[in-house]
Amino acid sequence: MKTVSLTIDGRKIIAEEGTKLLWVALDNGIYIPNLCAIRSSPEPAAACRLCFVEVAGKEAPVTACTETVAEGMVVNTRGKKALRLARSAFELLMASHPVDCAGCPANRSCELQKISGHLKVKLKTKRLRTLLRELPIDDSHPLFTYDPNKCVLCGRCLWVCRQQLGIGVLGFAHRGFQRVVTTFADEPLGQSRCQECGDCIAVCPTGALSFKDSAKPAARAVKI
Amino acid sequence: MKVAEPAAVAVAYNEIKSRAESRWRELANGDKPVIMVGTATCGRAAGALQVLKTLRNEVKKHNLDCPVVEVGCMGHCHAEPIVMIKKPGYPFISYGYVNPVVAERLVKEFLLGDDPCLESVLGALEENDLVPSLADFPRAVYEKKIILQNCGQIDPTDIDHYVARDGYAALARVLQMPPDDDVINEVKKSGLRGRGGAGFPAGQKWHACRSTPPGPRYIICNGDEGDPGAFMDRAILESDPHSVIEGMIIAGYAIGASYGYIYVRAEYPLAVARLEIALRQARKLNLLGKNILGSGFSFHIRLFQGSGAFVCGEATALAASIEGKPGTPRPKPPRMTTEGLFGRPTVVNNVKTLAFVPPIIRNGAAWFTSIGTKDSPGTAVFALAGKIANTGLVEVPMGTTLRQVIFDVGGGIPKGKKFKAVQIGGPSGGCLPESALDLPIDFDSLQDAGAMMGSGGMVVLDEDDCMVEIARYFLEFTQRESCGKCTFCRLGTKQMLAILDDITLGQGKEGDIDTLLQLAEDVKLGSLCGLGKTAPNPVLTTLRYFKDEYEAHITEGRCPALMCRELIAYYILPDKCERSCDACVGTCTVEAITPNKKRIKVIDQEKCVKCNTCLVACPPQYNAVIKLSPPSEVPAAK
């Protein structure tokens, strides 16, 4: 295994060549906020725009999930410019996310709460307008509920369902602000080909997918 | 690849060329009259097909030996439908604003009689003593046609017309060159930059693709033109499809690809139809397909119709779309030249970029660099639209100033209105004010001013256009066309639009401008693909040059251009209103206008829906109806 050495937030780190910066940081206990990153995916989605970091020698912040580690790389995860982008992206997500933590099954296991703490950004944004989509909640499945309003479109559930289990009940539909995770022809989940493995619920970082009768486990209980 | 056999290629090409030339001579230099009708989409929209039908009927009725040929767009879209007539003994004359009645007269008076119908003349296509020629128009001083050279001059459905005008000569020459770096070097030396907007050097892109390990490579022609108000690619594909096909084959030869895709929007049915015909004809003459002209080089082109997603003009989304996946962009690198379509090295070039390739090969790189500026050689094609006298397609050398294009080529602002701004580069570009008018048009200077060259849309705005509303309009477009994949583009543009909506509705708050600016900067820096990265440009440039208009909306509730409906009111000036006139009363859609005791008309502001009908209806000799902003400016009724 060829390795490279780099510095993240002042710490010298040895990493496998070709790895993406995000995984190297996370594996070394340095948290960088992220939602859409999937380790087993051959290419990063780079969709959530939360993992911005600053790399010495680069003028603009880069997303850690797309940046391959390089010898001598110097990374600052708390740079001003990077934090501004990450905070802005997080605020945008939260401005379109119904904030009702007390009534949410994901309360305290929610990654949005974790990121909020890390970035020091309030869950309820004052700067932006609240733009909710008010989509119907799919309650049709006996075991779990899908609330598309809480979904941050990270794509993890799609990945486990399609790539890991080969079922592919879920997919993205529509464009722009209307983009949503749904089933083919918006079939209710209770009538879909869902095999009730529950992996999608386990990987969901928010309360969008949650069990009906039990508290939501911390996300990433299933390795993706 | 088999080594090319230069002699065989030249023989095969010359055979095609001489046949085409004799057919062209028969048509253009013969002793019978010829009628040409511009039937590109711009012509059709103005009724060219009826004109064509009338002309054909008339010619048949009078048993005239006169071919009626369909040609593409000449660039004078404001004067469509355009008919050109070449009659022996007369100069080649073009007629503008032709309708079936005029068409009938042209046949009866000009072809049968001897009256060239001077009242309908647009201009002659050659110097003569009878009618002023198009070359004498002010715009001709600045125009330099390279890729529009054939547009409107040849039948795009007849390959012989293209060949007769040196078409495929560049291909024949390239095929006689060894398949190494010669072609790429020529393109590199020419300094040709991508005409899709970003201006990346084409030769460099080709070189990067060619330098990859051996294996299948692809060339894609990007014809997914989607900017509002832009129609350059459409016009070229409809009027001169072979120039793009030839450019593609040459590019294929240069980078070592044997397959190419032309990605055209399905909303361009005429372009698709004409491309299909062109491809068929090129294959028939062995200018495309297996063993082209006996050179041993094979190249195949497939036409792919995009389903109308703006984002599919982005290279990675375009490739995904061809692969049958949702048209969403992916992060770069890997660049398309190393990992593109089906994971293979791919060159994606704009329609115009490829159309420049044959003239560059034919005339040499030195000729090309002699036109335009040092860093942006060649010409730029613009689709002029908006508040401009001569809407249409123009091609000018790089380095021409915006003022020359708008006032000299485009004929300035109609109705004596005052110029306010020019929106250049489509929804990804920016609005430049009067102070920027003397900027030379090239890739770099426009970027410095906050706009971009873009693919060539140029929308001219006058004093009646509200800059906040313009920014809102373009942002609404990009917001609607966002694929929704990344946070900044999906939600950032939505938030920005919400702020702009509020401002134009008179609900703007203090701090909105700051938030808007911060969001615009973040979306520009943080988005995944080019669509998101450039979407804030109209907002950023209007904030930079027209901030006072934003402020007037928010702090005074006033729209300086009197455009935002919620911020204006209609008022009838009592001094100007004519007692005996009732024009506005009758047309008012909601019966909001009533005469007072002195028979002066008064608008009930409660009832008024601001439909603008009264302003239009008020006879010009009175011009008593005016717009006021803010609405509180309306004097209280006595």
Side-chain angles (χ1 to χ4, degrees):
Chain A
M1 180 180 87
K2 262 189 155 177
T3 58
V4 293
S5 61
L6 68 156
T7 316
I8 306 179
D9 291 350
R11 264 179 63 193
K12 286 246 176 292
I13 287 168
I14 307 285
E16 191 183 335
E17 196 182 32
T19 328
K20 298 293 182 204
L21 181 57
L22 176 67
W23 306 119
V24 173
L26 292 178
D27 290 348
N28 284 279
I30 300 168
Y31 181 66
I32 299 172
N34 70 89
L35 289 170
C36 69
I38 294 168
R39 202 182 280 252
S40 52
S41 167
E43 64 176 41
C48 71
R49 316 309 281 174
L50 289 173
C51 64
F52 278 105
V53 296
E54 287 175 21
V55 174
K58 294 197 178 190
E59 206 187 316
V62 295
T63 43
C65 66
T66 57
E67 198 68 12
T68 309
V69 290
E71 183 61 44
M73 189 184 238
V74 179
V75 183
N76 179 8
T77 69
R78 311 286 301 180
K80 237 185 182 170
K81 282 189 201 165
L83 279 182
R84 172 172 164 179
L85 284 181
R87 285 180 175 142
S88 189
F90 184 68
E91 271 187 288
L92 285 169
L93 285 174
M94 295 315 294
S96 294
H97 182 93
V99 181
D100 169 33
C101 294
C104 177
N107 193 12
R108 295 207 287 191
S109 66
C110 175
E111 280 190 49
L112 297 177
Q113 292 174 331
K114 180 179 173 185
I115 295 169
S116 156
H118 181 84
L119 291 175
K120 303 202 166 50
V121 175
K122 288 208 171 80
L123 287 166
K124 276 190 175 161
T125 160
K126 283 215 182 78
R127 187 169 70 114
L128 306 176
R129 285 155 170 76
T130 305
L131 301 171
L132 300 176
R133 288 184 298 170
E134 286 163 21
L135 297 166
I137 295 170
D138 183 352
D139 222 0
S140 62
H141 200 280
L143 296 177
F144 61 92
T145 310
Y146 169 51
D147 181 354
N149 301 297
K150 289 180 182 164
C151 173
V152 289
L153 301 172
C154 67
R156 289 187 198 170
C157 53
L158 268 73
W159 180 261
V160 287
C161 193
R162 181 170 308 207
Q163 302 297 333
Q164 295 203 326
L165 305 166
I167 305 167
V169 170
L170 297 169
F172 284 123
H174 304 300
R175 310 167 49 79
F177 190 67
Q178 269 71 44
R179 186 168 161 101
V180 66
V181 169
T182 184
T183 53
F184 184 73
D186 288 337
E187 187 182 42
L189 276 164
Q191 291 154 35
S192 71
R193 290 166 297 140
C194 171
Q195 295 177 8
E196 299 170 6
C197 69
D199 282 3
C200 58
I201 297 146
V203 295
C204 177
T206 73
L209 282 163
S210 54
F211 289 113
K212 280 186 170 164
D213 57 352
S214 59
K216 190 179 166 78
R220 304 260 163 152
V222 172
K223 204 167 166 248
I224 52 169
Chain B
M1 195 193 302
K2 203 170 77 181
V3 177
E5 289 170 35
V9 172
V11 169
Y13 176 71
N14 288 338
E15 198 179 306
I16 294 171
K17 170 110 181 169
S18 62
R19 206 179 57 97
E21 274 178 338
S22 72
R23 274 201 62 211
W24 176 255
R25 266 198 304 274
E26 209 178 294
L27 179 77
N29 303 329
D31 41 13
K32 63 184 172 193
V34 182
I35 303 178
M36 290 180 171
V37 185
T39 56
T41 298
C42 47
R44 289 181 180 212
L49 289 183
Q50 277 131 303
V51 170
L52 180 74
K53 204 171 139 197
T54 313
L55 285 167
R56 288 210 163 123
N57 283 345
E58 287 297 310
V59 165
K60 206 171 154 196
K61 204 161 84 188
H62 299 289
N63 265 331
L64 281 169
D65 181 18
C66 168
V68 181
V69 183
E70 284 185 60
V71 297
C73 168
M74 260 182 76
H76 297 269
C77 304
H78 63 99
E80 294 283 1
I82 291 176
V83 171
M84 288 165 277
I85 300 183
K86 171 89 186 119
K87 186 182 169 182
Y90 286 90
F92 199 170
I93 306 177
S94 68
Y95 297 88
Y97 311 99
V98 178
N99 55 34
V101 180
V102 176
E104 209 181 308
R105 276 192 42 228
L106 284 173
V107 175
K108 281 188 186 146
E109 313 275 323
F110 186 25
L111 292 182
L112 289 171
D114 269 322
D115 172 14
C117 301
L118 292 177
E119 64 283 0
S120 304
V121 162
L122 185 68
L125 294 150
E126 55 198 358
E127 285 295 329
N128 66 89
D129 299 331
L130 184 67
V131 277
S133 78
L134 290 175
D136 296 333
F137 279 34
R139 63 184 278 178
V141 177
Y142 299 98
E143 273 185 306
K144 165 102 191 141
K145 291 195 173 185
I146 297 176
I147 54 174
L148 298 183
Q149 198 189 8
N150 288 334
C151 295
Q153 311 288 325
I154 60 169
D155 181 354
T157 59
D158 191 335
I159 191 169
D160 285 343
H161 286 201
Y162 180 67
V163 173
R165 292 172 71 107
D166 277 338
Y168 289 103
L171 175 66
R173 182 176 311 169
V174 164
L175 291 176
Q176 293 170 57
M177 288 153 90
D180 53 23
D181 292 336
D182 284 7
V183 186
I184 292 182
N185 283 339
E186 193 68 15
V187 176
K188 264 192 188 168
K189 264 193 282 173
S190 77
L192 173 66
R193 294 174 70 171
R195 264 23 180 203
F200 191 80
Q204 216 169 306
K205 199 186 255 184
W206 291 13
H207 181 85
C209 187
R210 196 188 169 86
S211 313
T212 54
R217 296 176 191 134
Y218 297 99
I219 167 112
I220 298 176
C221 168
N222 185 349
D224 192 49
E225 181 177 55
D227 295 6
F231 47 89
M232 304 76 53
D233 296 356
R234 186 192 72 202
I236 292 171
L237 291 174
E238 286 176 357
S239 310
D240 194 14
H242 285 288
S243 66
V244 181
I245 295 172
E246 186 183 0
M248 259 183 103
I249 307 172
I250 294 172
Y253 186 76
I255 65 166
S258 25
Y259 286 94
Y261 284 85
I262 303 182
Y263 192 98
V264 198
R265 317 173 56 177
E267 292 96 326
Y268 283 178
L270 188 64
V272 169
R274 289 190 171 167
L275 272 168
E276 269 168 358
I277 295 170
L279 289 171
R280 206 159 52 229
Q281 291 179 341
R283 281 187 202 114
K284 206 172 159 200
L285 293 183
N286 193 220
L287 292 162
L288 180 67
K290 279 188 192 158
N291 190 15
I292 295 173
L293 296 175
S295 66
F297 171 66
S298 301
F299 190 74
H300 307 274
I301 294 180
R302 281 176 80 168
L303 200 58
F304 190 93
Q305 294 188 41
S307 316
F310 181 65
V311 72
C312 287
E314 201 275 346
T316 58
L318 189 154
S321 164
I322 293 180
E323 288 168 11
K325 297 176 188 155
T328 53
R330 62 157 174 81
K332 286 193 274 191
R335 305 230 155 261
M336 290 296 284
T337 43
T338 50
E339 219 176 281
L341 185 62
F342 303 116
R344 299 297 314 167
T346 305
V347 163
V348 183
N349 278 147
N350 178 265
V351 167
K352 294 180 288 299
T353 317
L354 290 168
F356 270 115
V357 173
I360 288 174
I361 301 289
R362 277 203 307 269
N363 305 317
W367 162 81
F368 193 70
T369 49
S370 73
I371 304 161
T373 62
K374 189 172 156 282
D375 294 322
S376 304
T379 54
V381 179
F382 286 105
L384 294 181
K387 308 281 178 62
I388 190 155
N390 305 334
T391 51
L393 215 54
V394 298
E395 185 171 4
V396 291
M398 292 275 188
T400 310
T401 65
L402 284 166
R403 192 184 296 279
Q404 286 164 340
V405 170
I406 295 167
F407 288 93
D408 296 325
V409 179
I413 319 294
K415 296 181 194 162
K417 296 276 182 182
K418 204 168 157 285
F419 170 88
K420 188 180 223 172
V422 55
Q423 214 288 343
I424 184 164
S428 314
C431 293
L432 298 179
E434 175 126 38
S435 61
L437 274 183
D438 292 310
L439 280 179
I441 296 170
D442 63 42
F443 288 104
D444 310 304
S445 67
L446 288 181
Q447 212 127 35
D448 295 341
M452 68 182 232
M453 179 83 181
S455 66
M458 200 187 267
V459 184
V460 180
L461 308 168
D462 71 7
E463 54 188 302
D464 293 341
D465 290 306
C466 169
M467 298 314 290
V468 186
E469 170 58 26
I470 294 297
R472 196 203 63 80
Y473 169 82
F474 279 103
L475 195 73
E476 187 182 30
F477 177 83
T478 27
Q479 191 273 132
R480 197 176 56 229
E481 290 295 339
S482 163
C483 76
K485 182 173 175 178
C486 89
T487 307
F488 278 113
C489 187
R490 181 181 73 241
L491 300 172
T493 57
K494 184 85 183 168
Q495 285 282 349
M496 286 167 68
L497 183 64
I499 296 175
L500 288 170
D501 275 340
D502 281 356
I503 296 178
T504 51
L505 290 173
Q507 294 159 7
K509 296 189 297 283
E510 209 180 314
D512 272 354
I513 295 181
D514 293 333
T515 313
L516 190 62
L517 190 64
Q518 286 163 6
L519 276 174
E521 286 168 357
D522 292 348
V523 172
K524 189 178 174 113
L525 196 60
S527 289
L528 171 62
C529 83
L531 189 151
K533 280 183 198 298
T534 56
N537 282 348
V539 176
L540 284 168
T541 48
T542 46
L543 272 175
R544 181 163 152 193
Y545 298 115
F546 301 96
K547 198 171 181 183
D548 52 331
E549 287 200 28
Y550 282 83
E551 282 162 353
H553 279 76
I554 296 174
T555 55
E556 301 169 44
R558 178 171 66 92
C559 174
L562 304 173
M563 191 183 191
C564 297
R565 206 188 268 195
E566 297 299 321
L567 299 180
I568 59 166
Y570 286 82
Y571 177 63
I572 299 174
L573 294 165
D575 322 343
K576 287 195 168 184
C577 183
E578 168 59 41
R579 295 168 49 124
S580 62
C581 165
D582 266 345
C584 56
V585 179
T587 53
C588 180
T589 50
V590 288
E591 294 179 10
I593 307 178
T594 40
N596 64 13
K597 277 181 202 157
K598 291 179 187 163
R599 290 212 42 83
I600 300 296
K601 270 61 71 185
V602 178
I603 300 175
D604 182 345
Q605 299 295 338
E606 297 285 306
K607 282 189 188 166
C608 176
V609 291
K610 302 171 187 176
C611 66
N612 205 47
T613 321
C614 53
L615 195 144
V616 176
C618 185
Q621 62 267 40
Y622 310 134
N623 262 344
V625 184
I626 58 164
K627 291 191 267 189
L628 291 171
S629 180
S632 58
E633 289 284 298
V634 175
K638 285 180 195 138

